[in-house]
Amino acid sequence: MADESKQTVFSGVQPTGKITLGNYLGAIKNWGALQQRYNCIYCVVDLHSLTVTQLPAELRKNTLDLVALYIACGIDPQLSTLFIQSHVPQHAELCWILDTICYVGELSRMTQFKEKSRKHADNINAGLMNYPVLMASDILLYQTNLVPVGKDQVQHLELARNLAQRFNARYSDTFAVPEALLSKTGNSIKSLQDPSAKMSKSDPNDNAVICLTDDADTVVRKLRRAVTDSDSSFNCVRHAADKPAVSNLLNIYSLTSGETVAQAEKRFEGKGYGVFKQAVADAVIAVLQPIQARQKQLLADKAYLESVLKTGADNARYIAAKTLSKVYRKVGLIAPIR
Ligand code: ATP
Ligand code: LTN
């Protein structure tokens, strides 16, 4: 059960497509380290993924794969609450209440909504627009203080903060007001083909993205093909604003090898991009291989995964129900007759 003296951390990833190195370095990698200090709640946000078209069988597989991946990446179900969003009905229920205090204008201004509307022009559904309200519900149900995410989620988190403050002002103090927790160098890993775009699961160009499931040969090939910067200091491995592609590779190297960027710049001085890219590949492979092996092992043990998910959802439901009944009472709904 939750230790009341600790602050609460909540985060989630959608079980859509292949999880990328960006998802790992920007979010999941940082979750494990928080488990001792905080009450951590980690969720596979399957309801969010329905905002774009999914094949049901694929969604089911991706959801379980992601549960196993969380554990393989260091989430310890003994220390953290790990569950699937749709197993806790309070997420969708709070979402309805928060919908009624959220303005359409706030949602239509969201960068992710605009981008996804462009990408999925044939399916601009109401859920796509409402997506950040469901995310606010995820966070606010657990009285969350800190949300470890990548930079692209800061705008959504700002909305969650606004909704919490708006509800608190209107109905008296109910929700904790959460803050984003950003990784210093990993909060925005870029595409290997275009350093002005983030590395994204839904990028149609396979070479732009390293997936956590990629084997060693694939990682080497993708990094060999990664673009570098066409500046006068060709073949110079330096972290600088005018070298966004090399800086991105340096960030990836630093986060996977454990060396600082400065140490890496020194190591690759005068060595050229070929040697550097091979070293980045080696560091990435050394991180991915044990994760892949552990994930495979976990997926072979369905009974264990199911027991983790049952305990996680029971625990989450208990906390979520407390917050939701408070919310229902404050807005004037009559409590069910028992
Ligand atoms: P999509 O491409 O479908 O938008 P995504 O790759 O952004 O998906 P999400 O499930 O939306 O994946 O994101 C999960 C977590 O990973 C979030 O905390 C998000 O901020 C983080 N994240 C995603 N991409 C990156 C990236 N390139 N660098 C750092 N963090 C990232
Ligand atoms: N919108 C997030 C996924 C997400 C999330 C959350 C992250 C849904 N609910 C709650 C943190 C906290 C994304 O990464 N696209």
Side-chain angles (χ1 to χ4, degrees):
M1 212 41 35
D3 176 345
E4 306 255 328
S5 65
K6 289 182 178 173
Q7 288 201 309
T8 296
V9 163
F10 182 99
S11 199
V13 173
Q14 303 180 73
T16 45
K18 298 224 165 112
I19 304 300
T20 72
L21 192 63
N23 298 138
Y24 176 70
L25 298 178
I28 306 172
K29 174 178 189 271
N30 312 307
W31 297 357
L34 301 168
Q35 297 178 109
Q36 300 290 349
R37 222 173 120 197
Y38 300 100
N39 288 322
C40 292
I41 306 177
Y42 297 122
C43 180
V44 173
V45 289
D46 55 347
L47 295 174
H48 275 101
S49 64
L50 297 175
T51 55
V52 302
T53 310
Q54 301 290 335
L55 290 173
E58 223 166 70
L59 176 59
R60 264 190 290 275
K61 178 179 185 307
N62 286 339
T63 302
L64 276 188
D65 283 358
L66 188 52
V67 171
L69 189 70
Y70 279 8
I71 303 173
C73 289
I75 311 294
D76 178 350
Q78 304 277 3
L79 294 174
S80 297
T81 297
L82 197 173
F83 72 104
I84 295 173
Q85 186 186 33
S86 62
H87 293 181
V88 180
Q90 287 83 358
H91 291 245
E93 292 172 329
L94 179 60
C95 184
W96 175 254
I97 303 289
L98 294 182
D99 268 344
T100 65
I101 65 160
C102 182
Y103 302 110
V104 170
E106 289 177 297
L107 297 176
S108 61
R109 278 197 295 276
M110 290 285 157
T111 308
Q112 186 173 305
F113 172 64
K114 289 194 271 189
E115 271 173 12
K116 294 220 166 165
S117 300
R118 225 174 295 128
K119 242 191 234 167
H120 306 278
D122 56 338
N123 184 18
I124 308 178
N125 59 77
L128 196 63
M129 190 161 167
N130 258 3
Y131 178 109
V133 186
L134 182 58
M135 176 165 163
S137 309
D138 299 340
I139 296 167
L140 301 184
L141 268 179
Y142 300 95
Q143 306 296 342
T144 302
N145 307 101
L146 295 168
V147 186
V149 279
K151 206 154 128 197
D152 59 319
Q153 294 304 313
V154 168
Q155 194 183 33
H156 289 165
L157 202 77
E158 204 48 47
L159 181 80
R161 289 169 57 81
N162 288 339
L163 294 178
Q165 283 162 340
R166 195 171 300 160
F167 190 97
N168 289 348
R170 210 173 278 183
Y171 298 107
S172 84
D173 219 16
T174 309
F175 296 120
V177 181
E179 274 175 45
L181 192 63
L182 293 183
S183 144
K184 263 203 201 81
T185 43
N187 65 56
S188 191
I189 300 296
K190 304 301 183 193
S191 150
L192 299 182
Q193 294 298 316
D194 172 8
S196 68
K198 76 162 192 169
M199 185 181 282
S200 163
K201 271 182 206 153
S202 46
D203 196 317
N205 182 352
D206 226 29
N207 284 322
V209 178
I210 293 179
C211 303
L212 290 199
T213 47
D214 282 347
D215 61 23
D217 289 347
T218 309
V219 172
V220 170
R221 177 171 46 77
K222 287 180 179 175
L223 278 162
R224 239 184 239 149
R225 290 185 186 166
V227 297
T228 43
D229 308 289
S230 50
D231 58 339
S232 52
S233 53
F234 181 68
N235 257 342
C236 164
V237 179
R238 192 166 43 83
H239 200 287
D242 62 341
K243 293 176 76 81
V246 170
S247 300
N248 186 44
L249 294 178
L250 268 170
N251 283 343
I252 292 174
Y253 177 78
S254 164
L255 288 163
T256 48
S257 69
E259 270 182 32
T260 64
V261 168
Q263 284 168 334
E265 283 175 329
K266 210 170 225 171
R267 175 187 296 279
F268 297 108
E269 209 175 309
K271 294 256 169 71
Y273 290 156
V275 172
F276 172 53
K277 284 176 166 181
Q278 182 61 47
V280 181
D282 291 342
V284 169
I285 292 163
V287 167
L288 296 197
Q289 278 181 340
I291 293 177
Q292 291 167 354
R294 182 84 182 105
Q295 186 193 23
K296 196 168 160 211
Q297 239 175 15
L298 286 158
L299 283 169
D301 192 349
K302 288 269 161 8
Y304 170 70
L305 288 183
E306 282 173 4
S307 80
V308 165
L309 289 174
K310 180 176 184 324
T311 310
D314 285 347
N315 199 7
R317 248 183 257 117
Y318 176 81
I319 309 169
K322 272 211 287 200
T323 302
L324 190 71
S325 72
K326 224 194 239 181
V327 168
Y328 274 13
R329 181 167 46 78
K330 292 206 184 190
V331 300
L333 304 180
I334 292 180
I337 318 300
R338 297 195 194 277

